[in-house]
Every structure is written in structure tokens, then in C-alpha cells.
Amino acid sequence: MSWRNYGQAQPRRKPKADGKPRRKPVDWEGQEQAVLMRWLLGESMRGTPVGDLYAATYHVPNGGYRLGKEAGRMKAQGVKAGVSDLPVMEARGGWFGLYLEFKATPPRDADLAPSQREWLEEAEARGYCAALALGLEEAKAILREYASWVRTADHQGERLALTNGTEWRRGHGNGNGSNGNAGE
């Protein structure tokens, strides 16, 4: 909300076809991501290896709806479509860092957008580990695994590959909001 319209009523959402008001959408992904960051903070306070990533992990607030003028200003300032939700600026396993694309736990997950897939591909091509996490537990597993790797400065040999996480290279989703892995 801009300072210009602070305190003013927000515009009403268009009612459904039957005239009933629409419910406010729930940001499942944002809620789960906040829980993930609280968990990471707790791990940091406990002194666990994965907790060491807390100080190096941040959220890129690229999502959300913005009016045209504000969206134009954000784009001029460098906002890019597809940037992963949680970069981790900790070099491990031969990588320069981790780009973690976070989606809500199925069935509330969203499909991976083409711009997000392109960002993950570009990050990997530039020497960053790229991962897709479907939900809180998968994100925790990815972060635990990444934290277990030796720091890149001490790493020798080939880059390591994550065993956790949803394989974003194969594609994500079948158009109905699920990841297409029925029965898993």
C-alpha cells in the first residue's frame, strides 16, 4: 500500500457470477515460506549446521500484484521475472551458492512458471546450485543437505548434486496445480 492511499479503503473485488463476494485469496506459499525461515532461525539459535545458512538466506520479494505505475518503477529498479524465492549466499559443494524456488505443499502448489525455470537454468549455468522445493519438508531437506556439503573453498573435484528436491528440469505440474506425481 502506498503512502498516498494509506488509510483509504481498498477497492472491492469483483463478485462471483451469482453475486456473492469473493473470498480473499490465501497466500499458502508465503505462509509456508515464513515458517521455513522461522525454522531456519531456530536451527541457527540451536547451532546446527543447517542453522549456519540462516544469515546467508534471504527472500526476493518479486511476486505479488502491483499497479502498473508501481510495477514499472520496480522493473526500472531491477526486478526480474522468475528470480528464485530464496537465494542462499553460501558457497558449498563446488557451487557459488543456492537458488531455492519455493512452492507450497501440494495440492496447494503452483506450476513452475517458464521464467522461473529459465532462472533456475541460468543460475545453474553460472555456477549456482538450483533447486525446486514443493513444500516445507522438502525445503528443509534441501537446506539440510546443502549445509552438509563442504564449503566450496575447501571442495575438490566435481560439483555435488542434490538428492532432495523436486526435479525442475523434468517439468513441474500438469496444469491443474499439482505436481503430477499422483500417489507419491
Side-chain angles (χ1 to χ4, degrees):
M1 178 183 296
S2 164
W3 63 272
R4 286 184 208 96
N5 60 4
Y6 181 77
Q8 295 178 4
Q10 294 295 311
R12 299 174 75 198
R13 282 186 296 284
K14 185 178 174 183
K16 293 192 257 181
D18 62 4
K20 293 182 182 176
R22 294 181 187 271
R23 289 193 314 181
K24 186 176 179 181
V26 176
D27 181 14
W28 298 108
E29 183 177 310
Q31 289 178 7
E32 284 190 59
Q33 190 171 304
V35 171
L36 176 69
M37 291 305 295
R38 282 194 305 270
W39 168 80
L40 203 54
L41 173 61
E43 294 298 307
S44 173
M45 294 168 70
R46 282 187 278 288
T48 64
V50 72
D52 291 344
L53 298 180
Y54 176 74
T57 305
Y58 59 97
H59 171 64
V60 177
N62 276 359
Y65 176 77
R66 292 183 179 88
L67 296 176
K69 204 173 194 180
E70 180 67 13
R73 278 195 294 266
M74 297 294 285
K75 191 169 186 177
Q77 293 173 23
V79 168
K80 293 184 180 0
V83 175
S84 297
D85 297 304
L86 293 170
V88 180
M89 57 177 197
E90 177 77 35
R92 292 187 178 255
W95 300 98
F96 298 134
L98 170 68
Y99 276 95
L100 180 61
E101 180 59 40
F102 186 88
K103 298 291 182 187
T105 302
R108 295 184 171 125
D109 60 325
D111 289 338
L112 189 64
S115 60
Q116 293 170 326
R117 179 180 314 287
E118 290 166 12
W119 187 267
L120 292 172
E121 290 169 355
E122 185 69 19
E124 197 170 77
R126 291 176 180 256
Y128 290 86
C129 186
L132 170 63
L134 293 181
L136 180 62
E137 294 308 315
E138 192 167 73
K140 286 179 181 180
I142 290 168
L143 291 170
R144 280 189 193 110
E145 183 177 1
Y146 190 75
S148 75
W149 293 349
V150 66
R151 294 182 189 273
T152 294
D154 302 325
H155 179 78
Q156 296 179 3
E158 295 290 317
R159 288 186 177 138
L160 301 176
L162 288 167
T163 57
N164 288 293
T166 299
E167 182 56 56
W168 54 269
R169 289 170 201 83
R170 285 194 307 253
H172 168 65
N174 54 11
N176 65 4
S178 74
N179 67 2
N181 296 330
E184 284 188 10

